[in-house]
Each structure stands twice: as structure tokens, then as C-alpha cells.
Amino acid sequence: MKTIDDLAKEGVAGKRVFVRADLNVPLDGTTITDDGRIRAVAPTIAKLSALGAKVIVASHLGRPKGAPDPAFSLAPAAERLGEILGTNVAFATDTVGESAREVTAGLADGQVAVLENLRFNAGETSKDDAERGAFADRLAELADLYVGDGFGAVHRKHASVFDLPKRLPHAAGDLIATEVGVLKKLTDDVKRPYVVVLGGAKVSDKLAVIDNLLKKADRILVGGGMAYTFLAAKGHEVGISLLQKDQIPVCLEYLAEAEKHGVEFVLPVDVLVSAEFPDLKTKAPADWAVVAADAIPADREGLDIGPKTRELYAAKLADAGTVFWNGPMGVFEHPDYAGGTQAVAQGLLDSSAFTVVGGGDSAAAVRLLGFDENAFGHISTGGGASLEYLEGKTLPGLAALED
């Protein structure tokens, strides 16, 4: 897989370099609430700019339905990128239309432009190879070289991720190179004990990675909404907690497999419960109680791991050699239910292990809760991509860069 340094040796000055970034940041109206992904790709863009390239940055944001939607405009991300880079960043109000052509044609060496949301064009996400290819053809007209650096999108077979690099000389950006290097440490060169912390809402989102990790991890600690399906599988009442009844048989299989392979599979011993979901906008104080994990009242919902579980999980992390964490332990966006996620993050920091935060909500939680990002071994920009890599899947965006 070629890198930017390889491109630099061949010369990029004066060339139009298309950078497929991941600027898919959360927005409150037009206000960015977490700019982590923009900051992560900024060094690659700055590097190309310093080499004299005309840098054309493209990304998706949210899930518009293949047509322009102001609610998903990349304009706020372009503005924030300019602030981080300390330079003016031009913005094209379309992807391959008149504005994109004019803006990219007007770039001087070292200048940067951002195209509007790629998903405003149906060809970006189309399952039809011809439609997707036609959109990639039009994108290719804007550039001379391609740099893939949107790790959060490499598990998608989309035009800008999979088809476009086949049409231009291509290389991996520094962010993708770093991400792949870190994930190889979780698969090929693991320092033990290897502890995996899994949270988030649904068991079904993590099935394949659990299946793979049962053959590799020494301990798996489970929290978040997915924990209640495992608790139900053990015969416990889970009240009105998030539950995937159809996944109970699979959970039973995994518990049996963990025992068979000698993998510690650790579930919460206590939880915070409430009769109603908290107000995440006002963050008004919630009415909650701590109960044993096998004694959740029928009319209550589990919303975070309890204090005993926090202590237990911290102890299970203390002697780890490697830790991979994906998914919060509770509704971390509300202060009353952030304690479990905060305890896991602190447990990673207190350990001497090589620690990887697997993107998505886990990365957002680290920033929201005020932790120093640099204190962790690595914070991934791609939750879904990280999981699929650990599942052993071939990621289309990486495969396209390896050609």
C-alpha cells in the first residue's frame, strides 16, 4: 500500500490531490459538537498542502437520501477545517457540478477546498456498479491523484471509497496508515492479557466481533444496552431494559464458547435503573437507583453499570497488556449515567496496557467526559470499520488502496 511519502517522492506539487476524508461530525444545527474526526485528518491535508498540492477534500455527513439536504451540509466542517489548518478553505456547494469544477480549477498550489456532501449524489452509495462507477468517473475528472484517509468509511463499498481509487494513482493517508498499524497490533502482535470491553446498544451489532474475539481475547467485559440480552440469557429479569430476545440463543452459545476457550466473559453485577429514559437535551436530574444485576424490577430500565461493576471492571483492566474498548457502558450523554463509561476510560488510563478506543460513541465519550485523548494509546476514527477489521472482514476501501 503506497503512502503519502511515496507520492511525495514522485512529486505532488501543482497536482490536484483528492483526499477522501471522514468529516462525518455530529451537528447541533450548524454547530459541530465533536470535531475529533476533522482534527484527525487535518495533518494529512496540511502535509499535502505543504508539499504544494492542490488539495480537494471530500466526505459524507449523515445519511441524506441521495439528494441535497441543508441539514447535512459539510459547510460547518469546511469552516472548522480552515480554523484548524489556519488557512482559508474554499467550499464547493455541489459534488461534481459547476461549483465543484470552478472551485477546484481555481485552486493555487497549496490551497485546500472541500466539496459538498458526497451523499447528496445517489451514485455515492448506490448498490449498482454502473451508477456508482459513473459518479466515480465524474469525481476523477476533478483530480490527478487520490489519497484515502477516511478510515471511518473504508468498510463501505461507496464510489469515493472503492471505485475512485481504481481510476487514479492512489495512496493511503497518514491516518489510515496509523489506524491499520494499530489494528494489526490487536490481531497479529497482541501483548497479553488481552482485555476487550464491549458496550453500546445492541448485541446484534457486535455478534461477529464477539465470535472472532472469543478465539483471541483473554477477557471480555460487557456493558451498555447489549449487556441486558446476556443477563436475560442467564435467566435474569431485565425489566424494560433494551433487550433483543431473538439474540438470547446466540448469547447462550457465546457464554458456552467463552467457557470452552477459557475466556473470562464478565457481565455487570449491579446496574443503575430508572422508570424513564433521561432528558438528554436539558440533562435534568434523573430519578435512579442501584440494584443487583439479577434483581432489576420489572418496571425499570437499566441505564448504566453500577458502582460494584465499575470497581470489578477496573480490576479486570489493571493487569492488562492490551485493551480494546468499543461502546459506552451506559447513557453517557447524561451526567447521572456517565459514571460507568467514565470508570472504564479511567481504567484504561490507570492500566499500563496498550489501549485502543474503537471509535464511534466511545471516542465521543472520551472527549465529552474531558479525558486527555493523548493519554490513550490510540483513539480510532472508525467504530464500524474497526469492528469489521477485527471480525476479519476485507474492507473495500483498504482493498482498493492495496491494488
Side-chain angles (χ1 to χ4, degrees), residues 150-238:
F151 182 73
V154 293
H155 58 316
R156 307 295 188 193
K157 193 177 181 181
H158 291 170
S160 65
V161 176
F162 178 73
D163 301 274
L164 184 55
K166 296 181 178 182
R167 288 157 168 78
L168 294 170
H170 50 265
D174 290 347
L175 176 59
I176 277 188
T178 298
E179 294 271 13
V180 172
V182 167
L183 289 171
K184 283 184 176 177
K185 287 187 179 181
L186 298 180
T187 53
D188 302 334
D189 185 25
V190 181
K191 184 180 177 183
R192 297 189 179 277
Y194 180 17
V195 183
V196 176
V197 186
L198 295 176
K202 296 180 180 180
V203 173
S204 56
D205 292 340
K206 305 286 198 301
L207 288 180
V209 76
I210 293 173
D211 188 54
N212 204 26
L213 289 171
L214 281 172
K215 304 174 185 72
K216 297 180 179 178
D218 298 300
R219 295 178 201 136
I220 298 177
L221 317 180
V222 178
M226 63 182 289
Y228 301 102
T229 303
F230 278 102
L231 291 171
K234 296 192 77 171
H236 302 322
E237 168 68 54
V238 296

Side-chain angles (χ1 to χ4, degrees), residues 27 61 69-77 91 116-117 120:
L27 294 172
L61 190 150
D69 183 338
F72 297 105
S73 175
L74 274 173
F91 182 66
E116 185 54 284
N117 193 334
F120 285 1

